[in-house]
Amino acid sequence: MKRKVTLKQIAKELDVSISTVSKSLRNSLEIGEETRLKVQAFAKFYNYKPNNIALSLKNRKTKTIGIIIPEIVHYFFSTVINGIEQVANENGYSVIICLSDDSFDKEVRNMEMLANGSIDGFIMSLSKETQLKGDFHHITEVINQGMPVVMFDRVTSEILCDKVIIDDKSAAYEAVQSLIDKGRKKIALVTTVDYVSVGKLRTDGYTKALLDNGLPFNENLIIKIEDVDTCEVIIGQLLEDKAIDAVFAVNELFAVTSIKAANKMGLNVPNDLAVIAFTDGIISKYSTPTITTVSQSGKKMGNKAAKMLIERLELEHEDDEEEEENYKTEVIETHLVERESTN
Amino acid sequence: MKRKVTLKQIAKELDVSISTVSKSLRNSLEIGEETRLKVQAFAKFYNYKPNNIALSLKNRKTKTIGIIIPEIVHYFFSTVINGIEQVANENGYSVIICLSDDSFDKEVRNMEMLANGSIDGFIMSLSKETQLKGDFHHITEVINQGMPVVMFDRVTSEILCDKVIIDDKSAAYEAVQSLIDKGRKKIALVTTVDYVSVGKLRTDGYTKALLDNGLPFNENLIIKIEDVDTCEVIIGQLLEDKAIDAVFAVNELFAVTSIKAANKMGLNVPNDLAVIAFTDGIISKYSTPTITTVSQSGKKMGNKAAKMLIERLELEHEDDEEEEENYKTEVIETHLVERESTN
C-alpha cells in the first residue's frame, strides 16, 4: 500500500514550513494568498486527506495511558503494570487500567470507552477470546484514529504497532535444555488447552530442545490441563508409571501441583522429579521446595512498553505528523532463576 | 449543620412536582409565570442553592465506575476488583482502575483525573500515606460535586459515605482464640510498622483475646516488621529462646517466612509452631504445609461495594436530589480457613 502524502512531504516539496502547510489547508488568512492556493492545489493533486480525528486528538492531550489486560489475579500482569506505572509517572503520565477478563466483547467495550477522550494511547495484552476469534477491528480503529497502541506478551502479527515480547520459544528451549543438562530424559510439558499465542511458542521450544538433544519426542508427555485439579491426578499417574523424571510447567500453579503429586507418593523433588515453571511469581519463591523458574521480567516489559508509547506520543506532538511506520518489536531477555526444585 | 432546603422539600411545600420546581428555578417558560415566581421566591427565602456541578454530572452519565486501590501486586485487592467487575458488568457498568501506590499525591491526582468526566462514582481503599496524613479533602471535593464514593477495607471515619469493611478486630480475636483453644499460650503477633487503620484493629483483637483468656500480654511478642527479611531472623530468635509456640501474622508473607524460620531450625509446623495468616491468598493454599488463614472474602467485599455504589447512582438518577444521608457501613463476615499449619 502506497503511503498517502503527508504535511511534511508537502512542506518539503514547496520549501515552506509544516505550519504554513497546515494553516494554508485550513485556509488561514495568516498565509498569503499565493502560498495558500499553491499548497491547496498541491495537496489536492496528491490527494492529501487530513486525519481530522487524529488532529483533534493530538490537540487534546490527556497525559494519560490506558492499559488493557486480560486478568488481574495474575502476578505477571501485576508486575507489568508496576513497570508501566514507574516510567509513566517519571514522565508525568497517569495510568488507567481496564480488564478484558479474557473476553473479546469486554476488550472492545473498554477500548472504545477509553479511546473516547480519556487517554492518549494504549498498552495492551490481548484477551484469549480475541486471539481465538482473530478479530482485531477495534485495535485497527483506534490506531486509525491516530492513537498509538503498544502490545505486550500476547500480541498478534495482524496488527502493525509497537510490541514488547519475550522470546517464548527460546525461553522454553533454554529451560528444557537445562533439565537435559542435568541428566533428565523423560520431560513432561504441562501446558494449557487454550490457544494463546505464547502457549504454542513454548511447546515449539520444548519440542526443539528434545529433538536437538536426540531425545525421543513423546506426544503423551505433552499434558494439556483444563482444570488444575486434574493436573495432580495426571502427574501422579505418570510418576506411578515411571514415565517422567522432570516437569516443565507453563505456569506456577501447574508446577506446584506437580510437586504436590510427587510429595504424595513419597517422591523427592528434585531427586525423583525436577520441576521448572514459567513465570517467576510469589508461589515459586515461597513454596517448599522453592521452584526454579523462567523469569519473564514483567517489570522490564512494562518499563519498555511505557517508554515506547511515550516516545511515540511525544514524537507525534512535536511533529504533527503520523509516524505509523518504523514500528518496533522489542524482545525482553528472560533468564532462569535456579532454586531448589532442580539440581 | 442544618441541611439546606432541597428541591423535594420545595415541591412538597408548594404542592407541585419536583420537575416543576426544577424548571421554575431555571426560569423555563414551560411553567406558568405565577408558579415560577412563587417557586423562585420560596427558594430564595430558604436560601436554596442548586448544586450545578452535581446536576451537570448527573446529566452526563458515563456508566463507568472508578476504582482507586493502593497496590496491585496484592491478592486481596485483586479479588475485590473481580467482585466489583462482576456486579458492575451485570448492571451494564464498565470499570476503570487506578493505583495510588500508597501515595497521597497519586491518589489525589488519579481521583481528580477520573472525576473529570470519566466516571459516575468511586470505589476506593485509602493509601497508607493518606491515612497517615489524615487529609481527605480530595474525597470531600468529589462527594460535594455530587459524585458518590464507596470506601472499602481501608476507610476513615472522617468521611461520611458508604463503606464496606470487615470487622478486623473480631477477625483477629477469633484467629487468636482458635490458637488458644488448641492449647497455644505464647502467641506472637507479626505485624507491620505502618499505621494503616486495619493494623491497629488487628492488634486490638489480638490483645483482647489474650486478656479474655487470662493469658499474659507480652509487648515483646508484638513484632513490627519493616523488611520481610528481618522477619525470619526475629522469629528464629524467638523460637531459639522458646518464647513462642504460635504466630498470628497479618499477612501471608510473614506467615510463610515464620514457617521457613521454624523449618530451618528443624522444628515442625504445626507441632512446634502453629501459624495463622490474615488474608486467604494463593501462597497459603500452595505452601508446604498449607497455611490456616482468616479469609477476608475480597470478592464479597467487591460485590457489596459495587451494589452500594450502583444503587446510589440509580437512586440519584430517578430522584434528581442529593441523598447524602443514610450512609451505610456494611460489615462482611470473615471466616477461618483451617489448613495444615494449625492442628
Side-chain angles (χ1 to χ4, degrees):
Chain A
M1 193 180 80
K2 201 190 163 298
R3 187 157 188 270
K4 64 177 195 268
V5 70
T6 64
L7 288 184
K8 202 195 254 172
Q9 286 163 337
I10 299 175
K12 201 176 165 197
E13 203 64 39
L14 301 179
D15 199 19
V16 295
S17 73
I18 292 174
S19 158
T20 300
V21 176
S22 177
K23 284 175 182 165
S24 300
L25 290 173
R26 290 203 304 270
N27 215 19
S28 163
L29 299 180
E30 280 179 54
I31 310 297
E33 193 180 10
E34 194 189 342
T35 307
R36 245 189 301 146
L37 294 178
K38 190 168 68 182
V39 169
Q40 287 170 11
F42 191 91
K44 197 173 173 189
F45 183 77
Y46 282 103
N47 198 24
Y48 172 78
K49 280 199 184 62
N51 187 337
N52 282 324
I53 308 170
L55 286 176
S56 79
L57 281 172
K58 277 176 201 169
N59 296 334
R60 191 165 41 87
K61 288 283 171 191
T62 62
K63 279 278 199 179
T64 303
I65 293 171
I67 305 180
I68 311 272
I69 53 166
E71 44 174 326
I72 199 154
V73 189
H74 197 308
Y75 188 78
F76 168 66
F77 287 120
S78 301
T79 54
V80 174
I81 288 173
N82 274 351
I84 295 170
E85 287 267 352
Q86 189 181 40
V87 170
N89 294 165
E90 280 166 15
N91 287 277
Y93 282 79
S94 297
V95 172
I96 279 179
I97 305 151
C98 284
L99 305 180
S100 67
D101 276 346
D102 269 324
S103 138
F104 173 76
D105 286 345
K106 231 181 126 177
E107 184 177 289
V108 172
R109 222 162 45 237
N110 280 332
M111 282 192 82
E112 280 172 357
M113 170 182 73
L114 290 185
N116 199 12
S118 299
I119 60 157
D120 296 341
F122 283 100
I123 298 176
M124 70 181 299
S125 190
L126 293 168
S127 83
K128 279 182 195 162
E129 217 189 340
T130 306
Q131 292 203 301
L132 261 172
K133 269 177 116 88
D135 181 347
F136 309 104
H137 78 276
H138 51 302
I139 304 169
T140 308
E141 267 168 33
V142 160
I143 293 173
N144 285 349
Q145 278 176 25
M147 197 171 262
V149 172
V150 177
M151 286 191 185
F152 72 91
D153 194 49
R154 298 203 205 148
V155 304
T156 173
S157 57
E158 305 268 314
I159 294 284
L160 290 176
C161 69
D162 291 321
K163 288 163 197 168
V164 188
I165 53 168
I166 62 162
D167 187 340
D168 279 278
K169 188 174 168 180
S170 292
Y173 185 96
E174 266 175 54
V176 175
Q177 183 66 52
S178 87
L179 289 168
I180 296 169
D181 290 345
K182 280 167 177 142
R184 308 293 164 152
K185 293 190 160 52
K186 298 176 285 183
I187 303 165
L189 170 69
V190 185
T191 183
T192 50
V193 284
D194 45 64
Y195 292 88
V196 181
S197 53
V198 297
K200 203 192 159 310
L201 291 168
R202 290 174 194 173
T203 305
D204 289 349
Y206 161 83
T207 309
K208 188 168 188 307
L210 293 183
L211 299 180
D212 283 359
N213 285 276
L215 288 176
F217 170 77
N218 178 354
E219 210 167 342
N220 295 328
L221 294 190
I222 298 186
I223 301 147
K224 293 184 179 172
I225 303 292
E226 205 148 354
D227 169 19
V228 72
D229 291 334
T230 63
C231 180
E232 194 171 328
V233 178
I234 297 172
I235 295 294
Q237 191 55 53
L238 288 169
L239 286 168
E240 183 90 40
D241 300 345
K242 298 192 192 305
I244 56 172
D245 56 15
V247 157
F248 172 48
V250 298
N251 62 43
E252 290 188 302
L253 276 194
F254 294 167
V256 82
T257 309
S258 301
I259 291 175
K260 252 187 212 302
N263 284 341
K264 275 201 182 163
M265 301 179 63
L267 297 175
N268 177 274
V269 173
N271 294 342
D272 303 313
L273 184 76
V275 176
I276 297 185
F278 224 99
T279 309
D280 188 38
I282 41 174
I283 294 180
S284 299
K285 217 165 148 184
Y286 291 105
S287 81
T288 313
T290 54
I291 303 173
T292 297
T293 57
V294 178
S295 168
Q296 273 181 286
S297 309
K299 194 166 182 189
K300 262 192 214 161
M301 215 174 212
N303 284 163
K304 193 72 202 170
K307 260 179 214 147
M308 287 171 97
L309 184 69
I310 290 170
E311 262 167 34
R312 202 162 282 276
L313 288 169
E314 319 256 292
L315 186 73
E316 280 190 335
H317 205 61
E318 278 169 21
D319 200 330
D320 216 33
E321 271 299 325
E322 292 154 86
E323 293 282 344
E324 67 263 57
E325 280 154 4
N326 308 318
Y327 288 127
K328 279 175 294 190
T329 295
E330 295 276 353
V331 181
I332 303 290
E333 293 251 322
T334 59
H335 60 279
L336 218 54
V337 182
E338 303 251 10
R339 296 209 183 89
E340 296 163 2
S341 67
T342 52
N343 60 358
Chain B
M1 192 181 81
K2 202 190 161 298
R3 187 155 189 271
K4 64 177 194 268
V5 69
T6 64
L7 287 183
K8 201 193 256 171
Q9 286 162 339
I10 299 175
K12 202 177 164 198
E13 203 65 40
L14 301 180
D15 198 20
V16 295
S17 73
I18 291 175
S19 157
T20 301
V21 175
S22 176
K23 284 175 180 165
S24 299
L25 291 174
R26 291 204 302 268
N27 215 20
S28 162
L29 298 180
E30 281 180 52
I31 310 297
E33 194 181 12
E34 195 188 341
T35 308
R36 245 189 300 144
L37 294 178
K38 191 168 69 183
V39 169
Q40 287 170 10
F42 191 92
K44 197 173 174 191
F45 183 77
Y46 282 103
N47 198 26
Y48 172 79
K49 281 200 183 60
N51 187 337
N52 283 325
I53 308 169
L55 287 176
S56 80
L57 281 172
K58 276 175 201 170
N59 296 336
R60 191 164 41 86
K61 289 283 171 190
T62 62
K63 278 280 201 176
T64 303
I65 293 171
I67 305 180
I68 312 270
I69 53 164
E71 43 173 329
I72 200 154
V73 189
H74 196 307
Y75 188 78
F76 168 67
F77 287 119
S78 301
T79 54
V80 174
I81 288 173
N82 274 351
I84 294 171
E85 287 267 352
Q86 189 181 40
V87 170
N89 294 164
E90 281 165 17
N91 287 276
Y93 281 79
S94 296
V95 172
I96 279 179
I97 305 152
C98 284
L99 306 180
S100 66
D101 277 345
D102 270 323
S103 138
F104 172 77
D105 286 344
K106 230 182 128 178
E107 183 177 290
V108 172
R109 220 161 45 235
N110 280 332
M111 283 191 81
E112 281 172 356
M113 170 183 72
L114 290 185
N116 199 13
S118 298
I119 60 157
D120 296 341
F122 283 101
I123 297 176
M124 69 182 299
S125 191
L126 293 168
S127 82
K128 279 182 195 162
E129 217 189 340
T130 306
Q131 291 201 303
L132 262 172
K133 269 176 116 88
D135 182 347
F136 308 105
H137 78 275
H138 51 303
I139 304 170
T140 308
E141 267 168 32
V142 160
I143 293 174
N144 285 347
Q145 277 176 25
M147 197 170 261
V149 172
V150 177
M151 285 190 186
F152 72 91
D153 194 49
R154 299 203 205 149
V155 304
T156 174
S157 57
E158 305 267 315
I159 295 284
L160 290 176
C161 69
D162 291 321
K163 287 162 197 167
V164 189
I165 54 169
I166 61 161
D167 187 340
D168 279 278
K169 189 175 167 179
S170 292
Y173 185 96
E174 266 174 53
V176 175
Q177 182 66 53
S178 86
L179 289 168
I180 295 169
D181 290 345
K182 280 167 176 142
R184 309 293 164 151
K185 292 189 161 52
K186 298 176 286 181
I187 303 165
L189 170 68
V190 185
T191 184
T192 49
V193 283
D194 43 66
Y195 292 87
V196 182
S197 54
V198 298
K200 202 190 160 311
L201 291 167
R202 289 174 194 174
T203 306
D204 290 350
Y206 162 82
T207 308
K208 190 170 187 308
L210 293 183
L211 298 180
D212 283 359
N213 286 276
L215 288 176
F217 170 77
N218 178 354
E219 211 167 342
N220 294 329
L221 294 190
I222 298 187
I223 300 146
K224 294 185 177 169
I225 303 291
E226 207 150 352
D227 169 18
V228 72
D229 290 334
T230 64
C231 181
E232 194 172 327
V233 178
I234 297 172
I235 294 295
Q237 191 56 53
L238 288 169
L239 285 168
E240 182 91 41
D241 299 346
K242 298 192 193 307
I244 56 173
D245 57 16
V247 157
F248 173 48
V250 298
N251 61 45
E252 291 188 302
L253 275 194
F254 294 168
V256 83
T257 309
S258 301
I259 292 174
K260 253 186 213 296
N263 284 341
K264 276 202 182 161
M265 300 180 63
L267 297 176
N268 176 272
V269 174
N271 294 342
D272 303 314
L273 184 76
V275 176
I276 296 185
F278 224 100
T279 310
D280 188 39
I282 40 172
I283 295 180
S284 300
K285 217 164 147 185
Y286 292 104
S287 81
T288 313
T290 55
I291 303 174
T292 297
T293 57
V294 177
S295 168
Q296 275 181 285
S297 308
K299 193 165 182 190
K300 264 192 211 159
M301 215 174 212
N303 284 162
K304 193 74 203 169
K307 261 180 212 144
M308 288 171 97
L309 183 70
I310 290 170
E311 263 168 33
R312 202 162 282 276
L313 287 169
E314 318 256 293
L315 186 75
E316 280 189 335
H317 205 60
E318 279 168 21
D319 201 330
D320 215 34
E321 271 300 326
E322 293 153 84
E323 294 280 345
E324 67 262 56
E325 280 151 7
N326 309 320
Y327 287 127
K328 280 176 294 188
T329 295
E330 296 276 353
V331 181
I332 303 290
E333 294 250 322
T334 59
H335 61 278
L336 218 54
V337 182
E338 303 251 10
R339 296 208 184 90
E340 295 163 3
S341 68
T342 53
N343 60 356

